[in-house]
Amino acid sequence: MVSRVIPVENFDLVIFGGTGDLARRKILPGLFRRYRSGQMPAEARIVGAARSALDHDAFRQMVAEAVAEFGGPEKDDAECLKAFLAQIHYVAVDAKGEGGWQALSGLMREGVVRAFYFSVAPSLFGDLAERLHRFNIATPDCRIVVEKPFGHDLATARALNATLATHFKETQIYRIDHYLGKETVQNLMAVRFGNILFEPLWNNHYVDHIQVTVAETVGVDGRGGYYDQSGAMRDMVQNHLMQLLCLIAMEPPSRFDADAVRDEKLKVIRALDPVAADEIVRGQYGSGGKAYRDDAENPASTTECFVAIKAHISNWRWAGVPFYLRTGKKMRARSSEIAVVFKDLGHSIFEGDTARHRNILAIRLQPNEGMDLQVTIKEPGPGGMRLVDVPLDMTFAEALGPDAGEVHDAYERLIMDVIRGNQTLFMRGDEVEAAWAWTDPIISGWDARGDRPRPYEAGSAGPEEAMMLMHRDGRRWREIKG
Ligand code: BG6
């Protein structure tokens, strides 16, 4: 399959926090990939902006090192890298002072898209926004990109939204949730709304329950300070898992455009019931082997690094269908998937067949992006009608050829969407607030009860209580396989 690259318009992109971890791991290597593919125009300009007193060349050297360390196979294209580096500039700016802003202003060109990536602590958003205006760097249609965590709770998210709204229109604000940039996450929408097969069955008449698993093998290595304040609920559930839930559960938007899609997602979040204390389990790895507390800053930390929830959506489509969500660090394998488990047949015409056959549509986010649909067939050979469940497997890399196997990083795709001015895969302010409004009472409930996370073994599938969450409903989690 030949991939089709549609170049974006010429642009100036300023990365505040340009020397930071995210810029080095994701943003800069991703931009190089897009440059090399021809999607990023040769004249596009990237400006790193941070506190350190570097010159252009020192920053270019840092970019070259980041590409060497975090880039893919394209990093060896020395000629292309040289041309890419020539498009890169650096300005030392003082986010809270006056230094560097005139120089930054001088680097901006007229007549090209202007975008500003705020890869810095949220406490600086207001200062950056104010200076971008005061130094006439912001234009009426420039774009700003902000990272998660977007707030720590509803109150802080509201305050951040209000700060940004003083300086920018909502159509200029791109709140990143990198899960929305993942190939298979977008495929979820293609599967749901590009096929006639699934949509008629996508409701409480045919679906027994839905499982969403985002399992990681990494711990919190080196991020203990942040993670202790955040925990899996704020770090993963409030954003990534809720976004997945929205895409599975939303009504079909009338068009694939930013507001139509985001309106439908918002309705899902608002239809979520509050979570009962016995329908959520939090865990912390620590029994046997490596403990979270060894990674955390606070050795007595009660922060969760695993959460399992039974969620309910109160609307006509989903009433009575539980959504089981779980995510955890230091799990058995890195494996993320969405499984739509359909209902039993109700009556079998095959004598002696007492097994419970179920159709399951599993959408694999990572690794091994693809889908499989479990169907029931006759076991081959003589001996009567014995039924067996088999997966109809579609691994995208196999089905679409080697080009499709090159799964682009979510960040680079999303940055190109910023330049195109397409907000469909970004969170709107009201969505983020609604997500906090659902998660806040869960967290404050834990605090009020003095709840402590259940221990689980590193390398396992999470605490026993998470298994019970399903077992007591006569259901079981799917196996976590890498
Ligand atoms: C980030 C979280 O948003 O997502 C991390 O802060 C987590 O804790 C990461 O590890 C997972 O992303 P991915 O793309 O590796 O699944």
Side-chain angles (χ1 to χ4, degrees):
M1 199 192 74
V2 177
S3 57
R4 228 161 22 101
V5 172
I6 304 172
V8 298
E9 277 177 72
N10 195 7
F11 63 86
D12 286 345
L13 169 67
V14 180
I15 308 170
F16 291 106
T19 54
D21 204 48
L22 184 70
R24 290 186 335 102
R25 280 174 188 276
K26 298 285 186 187
I27 305 174
L28 293 161
L31 284 166
F32 175 53
R33 252 191 309 275
R34 291 295 159 135
Y35 182 82
R36 188 166 174 274
S37 74
Q39 186 167 33
M40 181 176 144
E43 323 74 55
R45 182 173 283 181
I46 296 164
V47 182
R51 250 180 322 193
S52 322
L54 303 176
D55 61 16
H56 295 310
D57 283 337
F59 184 63
R60 287 179 187 136
Q61 180 59 29
M62 196 214 83
V63 175
E65 283 162 16
V67 169
E69 190 173 352
F70 302 110
E74 72 290 337
K75 66 186 177 202
D76 297 325
D77 188 342
E79 203 175 310
C80 184
L81 182 61
K82 195 168 156 218
F84 175 69
L85 293 178
Q87 297 307 116
I88 295 198
H89 302 260
Y90 182 81
V91 187
V93 287
D94 180 359
K96 289 189 168 291
E98 312 296 300
W101 292 95
Q102 286 299 358
L104 182 60
S105 170
L107 276 172
M108 299 286 102
R109 297 170 297 173
E110 295 301 323
V112 302
V113 171
R114 275 187 200 185
F116 304 97
Y117 202 124
F118 289 9
S119 182
V120 295
S123 54
L124 295 177
F125 289 0
D127 295 314
L128 294 180
E130 186 272 325
R131 283 164 180 73
L132 284 174
H133 281 90
R134 182 146 55 86
F135 289 89
N136 290 320
I137 304 172
T139 54
D141 62 354
C142 70
R143 288 132 215 195
I144 60 155
V145 184
V146 293
E147 270 295 324
K148 75 171 263 280
F150 195 85
H152 187 71
D153 52 19
L154 178 58
T156 47
R158 274 194 181 137
L160 268 184
N161 274 336
T163 303
L164 294 178
T166 338
H167 303 283
F168 300 101
K169 302 182 288 268
E170 181 63 31
T171 49
Q172 296 180 277
I173 305 171
Y174 290 70
R175 294 176 194 79
I176 282 207
D177 181 313
H178 80 280
Y179 266 57
L180 292 177
K182 288 186 188 277
E183 188 69 30
T184 321
V185 174
Q186 293 170 60
N187 235 319
L188 176 59
M189 287 185 276
V191 167
R192 278 197 65 191
F193 305 126
N195 293 281
I196 204 159
L197 273 185
F198 302 111
E199 198 49 30
L201 308 179
W202 211 263
N203 56 51
N204 58 5
H205 299 294
Y206 296 99
V207 175
D208 177 74
H209 73 277
I210 289 175
Q211 301 188 18
V212 179
T213 297
V214 176
E216 299 183 87
T217 48
V218 292
V220 295
D221 327 286
R223 299 165 74 215
Y226 152 75
Y227 202 84
D228 243 5
Q229 299 305 313
S230 147
M233 196 68 198
R234 291 187 170 98
D235 184 51
M236 298 294 288
V237 177
Q238 188 273 346
N239 34 75
H240 305 326
L241 273 84
M242 287 191 74
Q243 289 296 320
L244 296 180
L245 174 79
C246 286
L247 297 179
I248 303 163
M250 71 184 186
E251 294 301 313
S254 54
R255 297 175 304 283
F256 189 58
D257 84 15
D259 275 328
V261 169
R262 297 185 302 175
D263 286 347
E264 296 306 336
K265 281 162 56 193
L266 180 62
K267 286 185 210 160
V268 173
I269 304 176
R270 289 188 172 156
L272 277 164
D273 287 348
V275 177
D278 63 348
E279 296 198 328
I280 183 159
V281 175
R282 53 202 297 251
Q284 191 186 77
Y285 57 90
S287 59
K290 175 101 168 142
Y292 168 75
R293 290 174 181 190
D294 300 335
D295 291 330
E297 274 196 355
N298 171 7
S301 167
T302 55
T303 300
E304 77 287 347
C305 32
F306 173 97
V307 180
I309 306 177
K310 180 179 176 187
H312 304 271
I313 299 174
S314 281
N315 63 19
W316 272 28
R317 187 186 283 264
W318 296 116
V321 179
F323 285 69
Y324 298 94
L325 318 174
R326 68 178 162 168
T327 181
K329 303 248 183 256
K330 287 270 185 217
M331 306 282 284
R332 180 173 299 149
R334 178 170 189 252
S335 163
S336 301
E337 67 156 32
I338 295 162
V340 181
V341 181
F342 292 91
K343 289 191 170 170
D344 291 353
L345 276 182
H347 169 71
S348 174
I349 64 166
F350 303 106
E351 205 180 323
D353 177 45
T354 51
R356 182 187 232 197
H357 300 290
R358 284 193 154 174
N359 297 122
I360 301 175
L361 175 68
I363 302 165
R364 296 189 299 271
L365 266 53
Q366 58 197 26
N368 199 18
E369 287 79 358
M371 298 190 332
D372 67 56
L373 179 62
Q374 178 174 296
V375 292
T376 303
I377 60 165
K378 177 187 167 300
E379 197 175 299
M385 286 294 277
R386 289 188 318 272
L387 302 186
V388 62
D389 298 331
V390 293
L392 288 181
D393 184 359
M394 194 173 87
T395 299
F396 298 146
E398 279 171 23
L400 302 173
D403 275 356
E406 189 195 338
V407 175
H408 293 286
D409 190 83
Y411 276 96
E412 53 187 89
R413 175 196 315 278
L414 293 173
I415 295 171
M416 291 299 111
D417 276 355
V418 172
I419 307 300
R420 289 190 195 99
N422 183 350
Q423 289 187 305
T424 311
L425 299 176
F426 295 83
M427 295 180 294
R428 210 169 51 192
D430 50 4
E431 260 186 273
V432 180
E433 290 185 14
W436 281 119
W438 187 67
T439 46
D440 269 8
I442 298 175
I443 298 170
S444 55
W446 287 336
D447 293 344
R449 290 194 302 276
D451 188 272
R452 303 179 76 80
R454 309 288 173 265
Y456 66 95
E457 222 168 289
S460 72
E464 195 50 42
E465 289 81 351
M467 306 300 147
M468 291 309 298
L469 194 64
M470 290 200 91
H471 287 180
R472 67 180 187 214
D473 295 343
R475 302 183 175 109
R476 56 190 322 135
W477 290 105
R478 284 162 60 82
E479 208 186 323
I480 298 177
K481 301 188 280 213

